[in-house]
Amino acid sequence: MPPAKRRRVTISDVAALAGVSKGAVSRSFNGAERLPASTVKRIHDAADQLGWRPNAAARAIKGAPAHTIGFVLQRDPDLLGLDPFFPLFLAGLERVLSQNAYSITIRFVSDATEEARCYKDWVAEGRVDAFIVSDLRDDDPRFAMLDDLGSAAVVIGEPPADVHRPSVFHTSDECIEEVLEGWITRGHTRIAHVMGDPNLQHARRRRDVWARVLERHGLSTDALAVGGFTEPGSAEATRELLTAAERPTAIFYANDIMAAAGMRVMSELGLQTGSDVAVFGFDGIPLGPYLSPPLATIACDYIELGSIAGQVLLEELAGRPADPERRTLPARFVERASYGADAAS
Amino acid sequence: MPPAKRRRVTISDVAALAGVSKGAVSRSFNGAERLPASTVKRIHDAADQLGWRPNAAARAIKGAPAHTIGFVLQRDPDLLGLDPFFPLFLAGLERVLSQNAYSITIRFVSDATEEARCYKDWVAEGRVDAFIVSDLRDDDPRFAMLDDLGSAAVVIGEPPADVHRPSVFHTSDECIEEVLEGWITRGHTRIAHVMGDPNLQHARRRRDVWARVLERHGLSTDALAVGGFTEPGSAEATRELLTAAERPTAIFYANDIMAAAGMRVMSELGLQTGSDVAVFGFDGIPLGPYLSPPLATIACDYIELGSIAGQVLLEELAGRPADPERRTLPARFVERASYGADAAS
DNA sequence: CTGAAAGCGCTTACAG
DNA sequence: CTGAAAGCGCTTACAG
């Protein structure tokens, strides 16, 4: 058992020890007013000696910001196990925010109702100053909700054109296009796509880019399967694609995890990834280079994404309008053996 | 830009609308006192109508709990990308806590100094009621710190014998022993171990179990390499082991990610995982069954671990001493092709 | 059963 | 430059 809680040290104790008023102590901790350096030092010494810091709750009650950012995720917990986005983004975000004395509070919810309640409660209770809005959906209800609540937020992903909220996202369309074109140049004519969760905006977007490139070259877009961002889903989708009458010779997977699961199916079917079936994924998981064969991928920098999101949020909370409103990061292609032989070879 | 913030709705507004005193509103939201059901309903209707909820800061200022749990992680952000523990544990923990109106606040720190400051600050500022202590280290300074702070906590991992704090952890010693014995039964005599970060308690523990089993059977424990829980580290360690004079025929990796990286090296060296070199890992990452060959592993249930940690914490905060003080979860072996042919075959 | 009042630990105009 | 005082939004003994 921990020792019993001692009496709380308050600003009065510090003021008494330093021989000044509570006001002076408060001011010395809030920097705005000018105090003689010697007084500030005396106060801070007293505070350190007593282990005192301004109580966060007492501070926030004056209407001051809670210095906390809310991050509500509507995700199947089981899908979190290998998703590189969440932990890396969080680490990048947290790093920037904590340097500015902001904390992050996280909630996992299971549906949109719970999600809405969480947003409302946190605002009403004054727990958070702003939200992280990620995993954009079709007709996403969160934008209207944020407007209703009058709450600040940064959007991770590309918001609809009529939404004017600061946002940060990777641009990958061109990169995906080039990589698919590369396959076409090398003679691939049946190029499949295993897509992610159709409810998510970025999953649909990757599919659209894929379809656009194929159509531009007069190729069929029949070979589309839904993997839903899960390993079993992708394995099934891959099996379906590879046992169909017209087997694709190349597959673009909406993420690396699905690509890895797909590659396993290929080896089960006696197909060589990279030669019989070319493959690339998306995300750039650290394990990619260690798969057999190493997995080509469109790599994103999720730590950087989180860190930019943090900066944008701090600017917004400081009252400076985000400029530009939409900030982008380039995804980049990492060519590895699974992409297939180079045109030169 | 979000619309300007409206005037805050306070308990007085709700009291006025419901035609009662502030005290009545407060009591109706804190359940303790008995109010006529009709009054409670009238108050709650008024609150809903105004979108009011008790302000968290104002509540906490009375010395009431912050209803927040602190989770401080000292980790290299880059290592978070594929670590299954963190996101799954967090999801399990959060689920239990949020059902009891607790939030989690997370901080990533880069060294022990920053860590210590974070613990002290959060307690002094009254931001958290308790901590999650994970990734136990040698002579871990956090136990003394928590005692000093008089703070509640739940330990994830097995604490030193003299530490009396509620804890939750997987027991895997027996499981690892049996699986290693299985290899010995099948005739393996050179069994290597690629260990994790030597500063972490569980990494050393896995190594010790491995060494104990080998010694018990009079086998050499020379084939030990340090992978540090990273893919490149493990690749290098594996290469070293497999190109040594006496090549091991089996390798136990301290986690699945390192095993996957090691398997890649095997294929580069022209060795067949499962026949030339048998392998198993630790964690049970979802991708395991999709590696080539599928990866045998000692699987842990990190969602469940988080959820039990949450329950233990809630009990502790409710003043009920944890019973038992140390709660365990069995890790279990998942046999897959990388483990090698079955004795029967 | 319920209201009026004091007080939680801070911050911040307002005097001096 | 600095102190005394009011007040933030709530909770909680204390009266009635």
Side-chain angles (χ1 to χ4, degrees):
Chain A
M1 281 270 80
K5 282 222 154 70
R6 51 203 43 83
R7 192 183 75 78
R8 269 211 272 186
V9 175
T10 74
I11 196 171
S12 306
D13 301 317
V14 177
L17 183 59
V20 296
S21 73
K22 295 193 300 174
V25 176
S26 176
R27 278 185 289 258
S28 88
F29 268 81
N30 292 302
E33 319 286 316
R34 52 201 63 199
L35 291 173
S38 63
T39 310
V40 170
K41 182 167 183 340
R42 196 147 39 87
I43 293 172
H44 281 231
D45 285 350
D48 284 350
Q49 193 180 323
L50 297 172
W52 179 84
R53 306 222 50 199
N55 179 278
R59 232 170 178 180
I61 206 183
K62 300 293 295 186
H67 282 278
T68 302
I69 307 300
F71 193 2
V72 184
L73 284 118
Q74 184 186 329
R75 286 202 174 192
D76 179 351
D78 290 318
L79 287 187
L80 283 168
L82 273 178
D83 176 10
F85 165 78
F86 172 67
L88 294 177
F89 174 81
L90 189 65
L93 176 72
E94 207 285 325
R95 180 56 53 124
V96 169
L97 293 182
S98 69
Q99 275 164 6
N100 290 272
Y102 272 82
S103 306
I104 300 172
T105 287
I106 292 185
R107 180 87 106 221
F108 296 99
V109 296
S110 42
D111 54 44
T113 314
E114 227 186 293
E115 179 185 72
R117 252 193 69 88
C118 185
Y119 272 76
K120 290 204 180 79
D121 286 356
W122 278 359
V123 170
E125 293 169 3
R127 284 188 183 277
V128 303
D129 305 321
F131 290 93
I132 303 289
V133 176
S134 73
D135 297 339
L136 297 188
R137 311 191 291 266
D138 220 10
D139 286 324
D140 206 300
R142 288 173 290 179
F143 297 117
M145 211 156 65
L146 288 166
D147 288 344
D148 269 5
L149 295 169
S151 189
V154 61
V155 178
I156 311 306
E158 188 169 357
D162 61 330
V163 168
H164 296 286
R165 291 267 179 189
S167 59
V168 193
F169 49 94
H170 279 95
T171 48
S172 57
D173 292 10
E174 277 186 34
C175 186
I176 295 174
E177 285 188 28
E178 280 170 28
V179 178
L180 289 171
E181 302 264 3
W183 269 346
I184 294 171
T185 306
R186 290 168 198 204
H188 287 281
T189 54
R190 271 199 76 76
I191 298 174
H193 178 51
V194 175
M195 86 177 285
D197 181 345
N199 293 313
L200 292 179
Q201 188 227 48
H202 58 261
R204 288 201 314 278
R205 177 122 183 189
R206 287 169 210 170
R207 180 205 54 200
D208 292 347
V209 173
W210 163 82
R212 190 162 64 230
V213 174
L214 267 60
E215 279 159 9
R216 189 190 303 149
H217 289 267
L219 301 177
S220 156
T221 56
D222 286 351
L224 173 68
V226 177
F229 284 135
T230 70
E231 302 89 336
S234 169
E236 199 181 326
T238 302
R239 192 175 299 278
E240 196 181 295
L241 287 169
L242 294 179
T243 53
E246 280 194 273
R247 177 159 68 69
T249 59
I251 308 182
F252 161 37
Y253 286 87
N255 75 17
D256 288 349
I257 296 299
M258 291 201 294
M263 281 162 60
R264 170 69 200 155
V265 171
M266 290 168 202
S267 103
E268 276 168 23
L269 294 174
L271 296 168
Q272 207 71 34
T273 304
S275 47
D276 295 327
V277 189
V279 163
F280 73 91
F282 193 103
D283 272 345
I285 58 173
L287 199 52
Y290 298 99
L291 295 175
S292 295
L295 176 63
T297 190
I298 310 278
C300 296
D301 187 342
Y302 292 124
I303 293 186
E304 180 69 8
L305 184 69
S307 129
I308 296 179
Q311 291 162 235
V312 169
L313 213 39
L314 289 171
E315 283 172 27
E316 193 185 357
L317 290 170
R320 269 170 283 143
D323 181 35
E325 193 174 79
R326 294 170 182 231
R327 222 165 289 192
T328 61
L329 236 75
R332 56 175 233 293
F333 181 53
V334 182
E335 183 164 359
R336 298 201 192 100
S338 75
Y339 185 64
D342 189 85
S345 67
Chain B
M1 281 272 84
K5 282 220 153 75
R6 65 236 350 119
R7 193 183 75 79
R8 267 211 276 186
V9 176
T10 73
I11 196 171
S12 306
D13 302 317
V14 177
L17 182 60
V20 295
S21 73
K22 296 193 299 175
V25 175
S26 176
R27 277 185 288 259
S28 88
F29 267 81
N30 292 302
E33 319 287 316
R34 52 202 62 200
L35 292 172
S38 62
T39 309
V40 170
K41 182 168 183 340
R42 195 147 39 87
I43 293 172
H44 281 231
D45 285 349
D48 285 348
Q49 193 181 322
L50 298 172
W52 179 84
R53 308 222 51 199
N55 179 279
R59 234 171 175 178
I61 206 183
K62 298 296 293 186
H67 282 279
T68 302
I69 306 300
F71 192 3
V72 184
L73 284 119
Q74 184 187 331
R75 285 203 175 193
D76 178 353
D78 290 317
L79 286 188
L80 283 169
L82 272 178
D83 176 10
F85 165 78
F86 171 67
L88 295 177
F89 175 81
L90 190 64
L93 176 71
E94 207 286 325
R95 180 57 52 123
V96 169
L97 293 182
S98 68
Q99 276 163 7
N100 290 272
Y102 271 83
S103 306
I104 299 173
T105 287
I106 291 185
R107 180 87 108 224
F108 296 99
V109 296
S110 42
D111 55 43
T113 314
E114 225 185 294
E115 178 185 74
R117 253 193 67 87
C118 185
Y119 273 75
K120 290 205 181 77
D121 285 356
W122 278 359
V123 169
E125 294 168 2
R127 284 187 183 277
V128 304
D129 305 321
F131 290 93
I132 303 289
V133 177
S134 72
D135 297 339
L136 297 188
R137 311 191 292 266
D138 219 12
D139 287 324
D140 205 300
R142 289 174 289 179
F143 296 117
M145 211 156 64
L146 287 166
D147 288 345
D148 269 6
L149 295 169
S151 189
V154 63
V155 179
I156 311 305
E158 188 169 357
D162 61 331
V163 168
H164 295 286
R165 291 266 180 192
S167 59
V168 193
F169 50 93
H170 279 96
T171 47
S172 56
D173 291 9
E174 278 187 33
C175 186
I176 295 174
E177 285 188 27
E178 280 170 27
V179 177
L180 289 171
E181 301 264 2
W183 269 345
I184 294 172
T185 306
R186 290 169 198 204
H188 287 281
T189 54
R190 270 199 77 76
I191 299 175
H193 178 52
V194 175
M195 85 176 287
D197 181 345
N199 292 314
L200 293 178
Q201 187 228 46
H202 59 261
R204 288 200 315 278
R205 177 120 182 190
R206 287 171 209 168
R207 179 206 54 198
D208 291 347
V209 173
W210 164 82
R212 192 163 63 230
V213 173
L214 267 59
E215 279 160 8
R216 189 190 302 148
H217 288 268
L219 300 177
S220 156
T221 55
D222 287 351
L224 173 67
V226 177
F229 285 136
T230 71
E231 303 89 339
S234 169
E236 198 181 326
T238 302
R239 192 174 300 279
E240 196 181 296
L241 286 169
L242 294 179
T243 53
E246 279 194 89
R247 176 159 69 67
T249 58
I251 308 181
F252 161 37
Y253 286 87
N255 76 18
D256 288 349
I257 297 299
M258 291 202 293
M263 281 162 58
R264 170 69 200 155
V265 171
M266 291 167 202
S267 103
E268 277 169 23
L269 295 175
L271 297 169
Q272 206 70 36
T273 305
S275 48
D276 294 328
V277 188
V279 163
F280 72 91
F282 193 102
D283 271 346
I285 57 173
L287 199 53
Y290 298 99
L291 296 174
S292 296
L295 176 63
T297 190
I298 310 279
C300 296
D301 187 342
Y302 292 124
I303 294 187
E304 179 69 6
L305 184 69
S307 129
I308 296 179
Q311 290 161 235
V312 169
L313 214 38
L314 290 171
E315 283 172 28
E316 193 185 357
L317 290 170
R320 268 170 283 144
D323 180 34
E325 193 174 80
R326 295 172 180 228
R327 222 166 287 192
T328 61
L329 236 75
R332 55 174 233 293
F333 181 53
V334 182
E335 182 163 359
R336 297 200 192 100
S338 75
Y339 185 64
D342 190 85
S345 66

